[in-house]
Amino acid sequence: MDSSAPDGDGQSEEVRGGVGLRVLSYNVHRWGDDRVALERVVRACRPDVMLVQEAPTWWGTRRKRRAMAATFGLRYVAASARNAILVADGIELTGLRGRRTWRPFVRRRLNFIATQLPGGTVGGVVHLGSTRLAVVVCHLGLHPRGRTHELAQVLSLCNSFGTPYLLTGDLNEEPDGPIWKRLAEEGLTDLGADAGPTFNSRTPYKRIDGALLKPPLTGRLRHVPATREDLAAASDHLPMLVELSPSSSD
């Protein structure tokens, strides 16, 4: 895992006010599309935590991720493979941990056999009122059976926090597939069941991105306050904006 020490007192102004924790899950397509449009989308969402899939990589990985986070007004705090966590000022994540996930070979065009880019998952613990919860991000691979093995590793990490958790990510599978069935068997609540397709951003036709809650956490998807033009230009995926609610006793 790649991480830098977060700072702050652990709660944003919204959390202090009892409104909730805003978590943005977004496949940013390697920060390789319209960066200005992407900045507008993220800033409009005002996330406390941003769970990134396809964060920029290769040469100068940390520098690129910190630079990307800075354009959003956020800080880069942790990553595993191409998944990263960014936070707003005043948000502290503890117990940061990540895991590389094994991926099989896949058959590509012209019968060539190639490896997929490395998989991974990363998460940390944050306080929402008096509730400790984990936020975890993953990006599953292209191989149908391989995704099942990856998900087992992802859920192992989620459960290692010993808290309720929010799991988000690019699942690379539509909701009638075995990955979603396994997540339901785990007792997770699919916040996007009625949210519509997430890919591709220009002409959305399938939902392959997820935001799922482990009870007793409660939350909902919020409308992303961005223009269709910016959403189409910013990335090939649409973002998911989640608001987690404090417990009634807070």
Side-chain angles (χ1 to χ4, degrees), residues 11 14 48 51 87-88 112 136 167 179 216 238:
Q11 294 185 340
E14 284 195 291
D48 298 304
L51 302 177
V87 299
F112 285 115
V136 183
L167 171 63
I179 291 300
L238 294 174

Side-chain angles (χ1 to χ4, degrees), residues 2 40 62 110 184-185 192 205 247:
D2 172 15
R40 284 196 293 260
R62 292 190 187 187
L110 302 178
E185 291 170 350
Y205 68 97
S247 68

Side-chain angles (χ1 to χ4, degrees), residues 23-26 192 195 198 207 209-211 221 224 238-242:
V23 181
L24 179 65
S25 178
Y26 207 165
T198 60
R207 182 162 73 100
D209 300 88
L221 279 188
V224 174
L238 294 174
M240 302 185 78
L241 178 60
V242 177

Side-chain angles (χ1 to χ4, degrees), residues 23-41:
V23 181
L24 179 65
S25 178
Y26 207 165
N27 182 324
V28 300
H29 205 208
R30 301 182 300 279
W31 199 36
D33 297 324
D34 187 329
R35 294 182 177 183
V36 175
L38 180 62
E39 177 185 347
R40 284 196 293 260
V41 172

Side-chain angles (χ1 to χ4, degrees), residues 48-234:
D48 298 304
V49 178
M50 184 173 177
L51 302 177
V52 179
Q53 305 100 60
E54 290 197 26
T57 187
W58 303 115
W59 295 277
T61 294
R62 292 190 187 187
R63 175 184 55 78
K64 290 177 183 177
R65 292 174 179 179
R66 287 170 178 150
M68 179 182 71
T71 68
F72 306 150
L74 303 173
R75 291 179 294 113
Y76 166 59
V77 295
S80 178
R82 296 190 299 158
N83 300 293
I85 303 179
L86 316 180
V87 299
D89 288 341
I91 294 293
E92 182 180 1
L93 289 185
T94 61
L96 294 167
R97 62 191 71 173
R99 180 173 299 173
R100 290 295 182 106
T101 54
W102 174 85
R103 282 180 170 175
F105 289 93
V106 293
R107 186 175 294 276
R108 298 295 181 98
R109 292 186 295 273
L110 302 178
N111 294 322
F112 285 115
I113 302 296
T115 58
Q116 300 177 77
L117 290 171
T121 184
V122 62
V125 174
V126 66
H127 282 82
L128 177 56
S130 62
T131 301
R132 292 177 69 252
L133 63 103
V135 288
V136 183
V137 57
C138 71
H139 186 179
L140 302 185
L142 300 173
H143 190 283
R145 285 183 297 174
R147 283 196 294 270
T148 301
H149 294 290
E150 286 183 66
L151 182 61
Q153 298 168 73
V154 170
L155 290 175
S156 175
L157 180 73
C158 289
N159 291 319
S160 73
F161 289 103
T163 66
Y165 58 84
L166 168 70
L167 171 63
T168 77
D170 180 350
L171 305 182
N172 263 321
E173 182 178 285
E174 295 186 72
D176 58 352
I179 291 300
W180 294 86
K181 180 180 178 181
R182 176 69 185 88
L183 290 167
E185 291 170 350
E186 189 72 11
L188 300 182
T189 301
D190 176 11
L191 297 180
D194 300 315
T198 60
F199 183 86
N200 63 52
S201 60
R202 294 185 181 276
T203 54
Y205 68 97
K206 62 181 178 178
R207 182 162 73 100
I208 59 173
D209 300 88
L212 302 107
L213 279 180
K214 183 73 170 181
L217 278 181
T218 58
R220 58 175 177 160
L221 279 188
R222 297 294 302 266
H223 169 70
V224 174
T227 66
R228 292 180 61 181
E229 291 77 14
D230 275 351
L231 289 169

